[in-house]
Amino acid sequence: ITKTTLFPSPGAFLSIRTSSIRLNAVNEETQKLLDQAAQARAEAAQLEEELAKTRPPTPTTKISSEIENNVQGRVASPTIEKKSISAEDLIQKLQSFEMIDAKSTSYALQQLNSEGFCTRWNCAEIGQVWQVSQGQLKRQTGIDGKTMNAEMNLDELKYALGAVVAFSAVSAVLSGSLIGGNVGATFTYIFALLPIIFLGIGSSAPGVIIAAINLIKGNSDAEFSNRRVVHEAAHFLAGYLLGLPIKSYKVDGPTTEVEFFDTLEGDQVSLNRMLTNDEIIPLSIVAMAGAVAEIKEYKTATGSAQDLEYLGQLMVRTRPVISNSDQENITRWAALEASRLVSKHSKELEALVKAFSEKKTVPECIAALESV
């Protein structure tokens, strides 16, 4: 053992003393900071307590108790054991309810659901929206921009424009030659404006032009009529599975048509409010179901333009605002979800297609899909 080890030098003692003084200073500074932090927390807690006394209560939304279970994000009804009942008896039960608006329709079907008669009403689970690329949608469903927009046939639009121009020209000439005078000139100008009006409508609201073309084809083309039946039946099926109340059901046209309320309380326009994100999701699936079912059956869709246009209008009236990229993704995701529902409930869809072809009533259509 060396001397240096046993007897440290005076410089070493000085170094140890200096370090001890510095450590004491650091400890004092640390304690001072801790005391200041504790005082700040106490002041913040006191301020929060004072603000709580003056803060207004959080507003709550009142919803009718009959449909309360369906409002929060369209949560599916709990699984209920289905009771055996004939289609005729179920039709009578449905007819016993006065389903005149969104609330009464929701209440009636929810009541029958809880009793075990309409077990497919609001039975579909809706998962969270996730990113779906066009490639994923194509691989899983075969759906792409070409199949979804088959009705935007340039030849059909070209022929329609040609017919309008020809009608306008002939009518303008006949008005000037047969009627004559100021009245004939007035009609000539009116007929001359028809092509311009046609182009204006086609550029701003192409769905109107497509609807007119489809109306003509529905009366003359058997295959097109069958496509429309599948299309509308799929809308009905998706809306029913997702618990949306039926707004209108028309059988007086070339094909049966169905329309749903935007919310469980009615249309958002009449309610004077915007749609929520939870409300737009099931509406998106219903909007895409028609075209998806048509593509599954015929490889292409002839009614998606109107559905996409309507869905776009609903998304614009949704708050918080949905960005353009999110709108496109929700549409793709909704098509994927609609494809899943249509495939899972193919037998119910088949029963509805038959009922729609025979232009059955709403209770008869519900009994048809519930009896499968």
Side-chain angles (χ1 to χ4, degrees), residues 90-252:
L90 181 54
I91 291 172
Q92 290 182 1
K93 284 184 174 294
L94 288 164
Q95 292 175 340
S96 66
F97 288 91
E98 190 175 9
M99 295 184 283
I100 58 175
D101 55 20
K103 290 184 179 180
S104 61
T105 302
S106 297
Y107 172 75
L109 292 172
Q110 186 63 48
Q111 184 68 25
L112 292 172
N113 173 273
S114 63
E115 294 174 1
F117 298 118
C118 292
T119 55
R120 290 181 176 87
W121 161 259
N122 196 28
C123 72
E125 294 283 354
I126 302 179
Q128 291 185 341
V129 178
W130 50 282
Q131 290 292 329
V132 178
S133 67
Q134 186 62 57
Q136 288 175 309
L137 184 63
K138 171 70 174 178
R139 286 192 298 272
Q140 295 188 37
T141 66
I143 298 172
D144 58 16
K146 184 177 181 180
T147 56
M148 285 293 292
N149 294 289
E151 80 279 17
M152 297 300 292
N153 190 307
L154 294 180
D155 287 338
E156 289 185 354
L157 295 177
K158 179 177 66 176
Y159 296 149
L161 178 60
V164 171
V165 171
F167 173 78
S168 173
V170 172
S171 299
V173 171
L174 291 178
S175 297
S177 60
L178 297 180
I179 301 177
N182 293 332
V183 176
T186 301
F187 277 104
T188 299
Y189 284 119
I190 292 175
F191 287 121
L193 289 174
L194 288 181
I196 300 175
I197 296 174
F198 180 89
L199 291 174
I201 295 175
S203 60
S204 59
V208 176
I209 304 297
I210 298 300
I213 296 175
N214 289 346
L215 180 63
I216 297 173
K217 291 176 65 176
N219 290 317
S220 58
D221 189 336
E223 179 182 332
F224 181 81
S225 179
N226 293 334
R227 282 173 169 267
R228 296 303 302 167
V229 169
V230 172
H231 188 106
E232 292 298 322
H235 282 315
F236 190 106
L237 175 65
Y240 187 84
L241 296 175
L242 292 169
L244 295 179
I246 297 171
K247 178 181 179 181
S248 67
Y249 179 81
K250 302 175 182 177
V251 296
D252 52 354

Side-chain angles (χ1 to χ4, degrees), residues 5 180 208 328:
T5 305
V208 176
E328 294 175 359

Side-chain angles (χ1 to χ4, degrees), residues 67-78:
I67 59 174
E68 183 175 0
N69 293 331
N70 291 332
V71 173
Q72 301 298 327
R74 293 295 196 278
V75 177
S77 298

